[in-house]
Every structure is written in structure tokens, then in C-alpha cells.
Amino acid sequence: MVSSKDVARYAGVSQTTVSRVLNNPDMVEKKTLEKVTRAMKEMNYRPNSVARSLVNRRTKSIALLSGPLHNPFFVETTTSIVNYSKQRGYNVNVHFENFGDNMSVYQDVLASKVDGIILSSILYEDPIFSELQSLDIPFMMFNRKHKKPGNFVEMDNIEAGRKATRHLLELNHRHIAWIGGPMNMTTFSGRYEGFQQEMKENGCTISPQNVNITDTSEADICRVMSDLLAEKERPTAIFAATDSIAIFLLDYLIQKGYQVPEDMSLIGVDNIALSRHHSFRLSTVGMNEKENLGRIAIEHLIDKIESSDDQFVEKTYPAQLYQRSTTKNI
Amino acid sequence: MVSSKDVARYAGVSQTTVSRVLNNPDMVEKKTLEKVTRAMKEMNYRPNSVARSLVNRRTKSIALLSGPLHNPFFVETTTSIVNYSKQRGYNVNVHFENFGDNMSVYQDVLASKVDGIILSSILYEDPIFSELQSLDIPFMMFNRKHKKPGNFVEMDNIEAGRKATRHLLELNHRHIAWIGGPMNMTTFSGRYEGFQQEMKENGCTISPQNVNITDTSEADICRVMSDLLAEKERPTAIFAATDSIAIFLLDYLIQKGYQVPEDMSLIGVDNIALSRHHSFRLSTVGMNEKENLGRIAIEHLIDKIESSDDQFVEKTYPAQLYQRSTTKNI
DNA sequence: CCTATGTTTGAATACGTATTCATAACAAAA
DNA sequence: TTTTGTTATGAATACGTATTCAAACATAGG
């Protein structure tokens, strides 16, 4: 590979001058500049970004630790994060959460030299948190957050849980089942908390068999749903903790011959784009449609990288109901 | 940041020994090894991957230049590529195609030091091709390919086009509209070619207003579809060049009060997971469900990186029909 | 005891760039 | 002419690691 030294020799100048042509062109005489520029072209020179990073002490790249893309919510955030980062001149190393073995993903992220880290995949008491802190580079959580204070942007999950539940209650549902994911993720615990609060305040009880915690895999959701359908006193409505789960449930229910919402009301959370599809018209709760948590988070992160201000960004955005066609009065 | 030199000083050894502890632990005496290991722990030492890359001349990272994730096909390939790469010890820099200005994306990719490049976003006569070649690192195309010989894996797009068309013809459709993307992408040109061939062989003509080329944006697809619906002799079936387009059309049609397949048959290509959803049951043509082009491509790419064999991988996989519920006899 | 062999270690160097500091060339001012 | 200042350039160095080469030392065989 041709280096700046090669270019220098070819152009009859010092490596320093070549470097200056790239970074401080006005410090070099016009004639020299042309000469060097031509040499670079002719030799097809490309600056070695690794060497640059070593001396500049920044890689212009960011690690994204995201939830899996089979949840369309993360499709939208990943797209925003990658595209906005590009705009600001950063590359994004993408990693996906791995339920079985997140530690190895963490190790990859910790080992890779990046200017900042943005992650949705963190548990409420995740030990990764202190490791991230020790890296001494900015990191930002979105969607989910950690117990300890740090940078995060999230939706008001409790409010989301309450609004979804209130909607179902207003439609006269009393027998409501919850299908969610692991409670050590604040999205799930928060939304469940809201569900509980609202039910309690309205004098409704939640029977234990109607609280279903899955690992969000399709197989596990199937298992849970088939249990629910087999209950003597089958629930009339399901509160799915995410639109992704809801859409999968929809698939399962239709496949088994049930009609939504006639046989079962269904509401999700996140208001992902797919929920608006007229084949679904999924009722859901989510943020203002203009806002994207990924986008908000990456913007803050890059600001932090470039300003190195150490004030925590902690933002919780309101949730609102999007009533569509998968919930109905009984 | 603490360096190997700091660790060396603290442990009372040379930097060489610290390096050996990391890379050739059996070359160093057990006692020394423990001493150094302890020092690394105590100082919270993390090897600088940038410095490593500089001397090793490999970054253990790969650039992915992907089509946009709002096409679920790329969700599936991106997931495979990222996860498989991790398994083989590589990070993935993700970039998304940008219809308006792909050159700047290309520049980003060319500037970033990676061990290999995997891309779906290439045009049939894309000038990026020769630039990629001049980088002298392996690159692999998937889904779409280039005019010149190189590494690629694809579905047999012509066969796909023929099979989808044949299916519609067998259902007695004669008035079939095509909605696709830019013809300088081999996915679209190949599928269209198959559409043409099959129509011709069966004595069917394609009227010009039924050939619709979009930029695959929602707005443009809307425009085209509304034109089609306004035709005097409205087509009875639509061949959407991708499932992604088909699913969007489905949304549009339902929203406008049409029923699929009663008012209009609809078939896509790609057989993405979402097409199987029982709210859609989209008829489509695609590869064997076990195969994933992204996965196949990344496997070849990493093999190439690690073996540096220079034989081209050129693979074209057969397409098959998946008949579901969006196509019906008339 | 001497030589041959193996083991463990460190000094020096390379990777490719950006930056600091010094110098040379030259013009302007005194 | 000397001084001062300005502009353009290059030599040397730093970034943090891996590797080469040589040296120090121990062990075994004769």
C-alpha cells in the first residue's frame, strides 16, 4: 500500500508536506500543493485511517449495541443512528444483543476503539455499566436504561403502560393478559408497572396466569399464547409489551382461526411504522411520530463526543395512544 | 489511557513481555505471566486495537454497504452478516445506500480501513467497481451484481421473474402491471427481463403504461399505483419487483378500499419473513427458505479475507414460487 | 569443564500519520 | 548592512503495539 512517505518521495517533498496538503493546505505553497496533489492522484494514494486514528486519538466511529432487528422498532432506530452518524462524519459498528451470551458482545464492544457507544441493550442492573464507565468515553442509552445515573433517552414507559391499559378498560375489558419480556429491562418493567397501577386503580385484579413473561422469541410467545387460549376463563384482551410482540401474536391468532378484535382485543406499545399498515391497523401507544429515540440519542452522543461536557442527559418523552382497529368494545 | 508500556513499568518487565502475555502466553514464564496479568487487571489495561491494527495491517472489521432497512429483505441480510461476522471475530461498519448521493457513502467506505467489503448496493455499471478493485481487498456483492466479473451471490432473478409471471398467467391474468425500481440494478432488470420473456412466450403484450419504474420510495410507489388504478383498462394483477414494494402496495390498496386478491392479484419477489404473516400471506417467489444471501456472502468474504485466494465466487441460486393468498384465478 | 541446545527476556525497530520545533529563504523595515 | 518578521519546508518525534534479533541464562550431554 502506498504511504504518505511514498508520495513524498515521488513528489520530491517531505512526508510532513504531504500531511499538510491533506490537513492544512493553506500552509503549503500553491505550486507544491499541485505537485503533491498530482502525485497522490497518480499513485492512487489513500490516507491510512488507522494510522490517523492512532495519532489523533479518535477513530471517528461509534459502537451501536442494538436490540435485534426482527423487532422493527430497532430497524427504525438503527437506520436513524447510522444515517445521522454518517452525516456527522462517523462510522457505526453495529452489534446485536444476544440473549444467550451478551457478555461476548460486550467484550467485542469494549475491545473495539470507538469514540462513543450507544446502546439499547442494557439491563437495569447490568454489570456492563461500570465497565462502560471505566472506558472513559461517552455512552448513551436509549429505549432501555440502567439503575445508575447516566445518559439516556426513553419513552415514559409507565405512562405508556397506563394509557394502553386505560384504553382497554374504557372498552370494558376486565380480563386482560400481559405478554412481555424479561423484567430486568426497563421497557418491560416500566410498561408492566403502568399496567398494574391502572388495573389496581380501577379495581381490577390481574390473575397470575395472565402475566406472561417471554424471552421475546417466537417460540416462547407461541407457548405463552397457546396457554392463554387454553384457559377456562380466557382473557378478552391482550396487552403486548411491544408492537413487535403484538404483530407476532396477530399472526399466531389468525393462523389459529381467531379474529382480532372480534375474538380478542390486542394492543401494543412503540407505534412502529408497520403497525400503521392497513393489514394490521394495530392499536398502540407510542411517542410522537416525528420523534425517534435512536435519532435523539445519537445526536446527544455525538454532541458529547465533540464537546466532552459531562452533564448527564436524562430525557423521558411522553407516550400517547394511537387507537386503531385491533381493540374493540365488548 | 494506560498503555502496555505503563503495564510493563508497573510490573517491572519490558513492553515486549507484556505484548507476549497477550499474544504468546506460552513464551513467557509462568511467574512472569501472573505478575503481568495481575498488573493488567489492577491498571484496568485494555489493548489499543488501533495500534494493533496499524502493525498487524488488519482491522478485523468489514464494511457493509446495504440497501435500506425499510426493505425487510435487508433486515434479514444485515442481521445475518453482523452476527456471523461477530462469530468469526469481525466488526461490521454498516452504511446504507443513499439514492440521492451514493458517492459520499462510497467515499466513506473507501476511506475507512477494513479487511473486506460486502455490498448489495451496486449498480450494473457502477464506477465504484474499479475503485473497489484498486483497494486491493476482497469485496463481495450480494443480491445485486456488477457488469464486470467479480465475487457475487444472487438469486436467479430472471427465473424469479418468469416464475412469478407464469403463476399469474396460469391464473388467467393477461393484463399484468409491473412495478419495480431502477433498471440499472440487476435485481430489477433481471426480474423484469423474466417478466418480459414469459409474457412474450405466452403471446401476451405488455402495454407501456403498465411498466412502472419507481425509486422505491413510498411517495413514488403511491404515485405509480394511483396512476394504475386510474387506467381505463385497469390491470388485474400486479407484479411487484420486491416483497417490500408488494407489502407497501397492499397497504395502499386496502387503504383505498380495494380487496386483494378479489379486486387485484399481487405477487412479490424475495420471500421475506414478513410475507408469511397471516395478515398478508403474500404470494411471492424466492430462494429456499433456509438460504440467506447475506449469510452466504459474508461467509465467502471472510474465507477470502483469511485465505486470500483470488478465484471469483459467482453463484446464482434458483428461485421458487411460494403461492399464498394474494393471487387468485379470474 | 566445555559445548550444544533450549528457554526467557529486552532493546530496537516498524507500522503510517500528525505535530513540534528548527531552519532556510526572502521581503520589509530600520 | 543589519534587524525583524513572514512564509515555506523538513527533521525528528510521538501515538501503542508486534516482531526481530541478540543476549542472558539454564540444562544436558560429552
Side-chain angles (χ1 to χ4, degrees), chain A residues 1 44 46-51 53-54 57 59 61 68-70 74-75 78-80 82-83 86 90-98 101 104-105 107-113 131 134-136 246-248 250-252 254-255 274 276-280, chain B residues 1 44 46-51 53-54 57 59 61 68-70 74-75 78-79 82-83 86 90-98 101 104-105 107-113 131 134-136 246-252 254-255 274 276-280:
Chain A
M1 204 71 294
N44 191 28
R46 291 179 192 287
N48 184 320
S49 61
V50 171
S53 293
L54 182 58
R57 296 141 147 276
T59 56
S61 62
L69 295 186
H70 63 67
F74 294 115
V75 167
T78 299
T79 297
S80 295
V82 168
N83 288 338
K86 168 190 157 34
Y90 289 81
N91 280 341
V92 181
N93 285 351
V94 177
H95 306 259
F96 294 121
E97 177 177 32
N98 180 345
D101 161 33
S104 93
V105 182
Q107 287 318 310
D108 287 352
V109 174
L110 294 173
S112 72
K113 205 79 182 173
E131 295 216 56
S134 77
L135 281 186
D136 220 40
I247 287 174
F248 182 70
L250 206 53
D251 187 26
Y252 185 85
I254 297 173
Q255 182 192 344
L274 197 57
R276 295 193 279 277
H277 196 288
H278 285 75
S279 292
F280 299 135
Chain B
M1 203 71 296
N44 191 28
R46 291 181 193 286
N48 183 319
S49 61
V50 171
S53 294
L54 183 59
R57 300 146 143 272
T59 56
S61 60
L69 295 186
H70 63 67
F74 294 115
V75 167
T78 299
T79 298
V82 168
N83 288 337
K86 169 188 154 40
Y90 290 80
N91 280 342
V92 180
N93 284 351
V94 177
H95 307 259
F96 293 122
E97 177 176 29
N98 179 345
D101 162 33
S104 94
V105 182
Q107 288 318 311
D108 286 353
V109 173
L110 293 173
S112 72
K113 205 79 183 172
E131 294 215 57
S134 77
L135 281 186
D136 221 42
I247 286 174
F248 182 70
L249 288 174
L250 207 52
D251 187 27
Y252 184 84
I254 297 173
Q255 181 192 339
L274 197 56
R276 295 194 278 277
H277 196 287
H278 284 76
S279 293
F280 300 135

Side-chain angles (χ1 to χ4, degrees), chain B residues 153-172:
Chain B
V153 294
E154 62 168 2
M155 179 177 62
D156 187 332
N157 286 301
I158 298 182
E159 187 191 17
R162 294 185 75 119
K163 286 197 171 173
T165 309
R166 193 175 312 146
H167 174 58
L168 293 175
L169 290 171
E170 281 168 0
L171 294 173
N172 299 312

Side-chain angles (χ1 to χ4, degrees), chain B residues 68 70 99 179-182 213-224 244-245 248-249:
Chain B
H70 63 67
F99 269 99
I179 299 183
I213 295 173
T214 72
D215 61 12
T216 73
S217 74
E218 300 206 351
D220 210 29
I221 296 176
C222 277
R223 175 185 61 76
V224 156
S244 176
I245 294 176
F248 182 70
L249 288 174

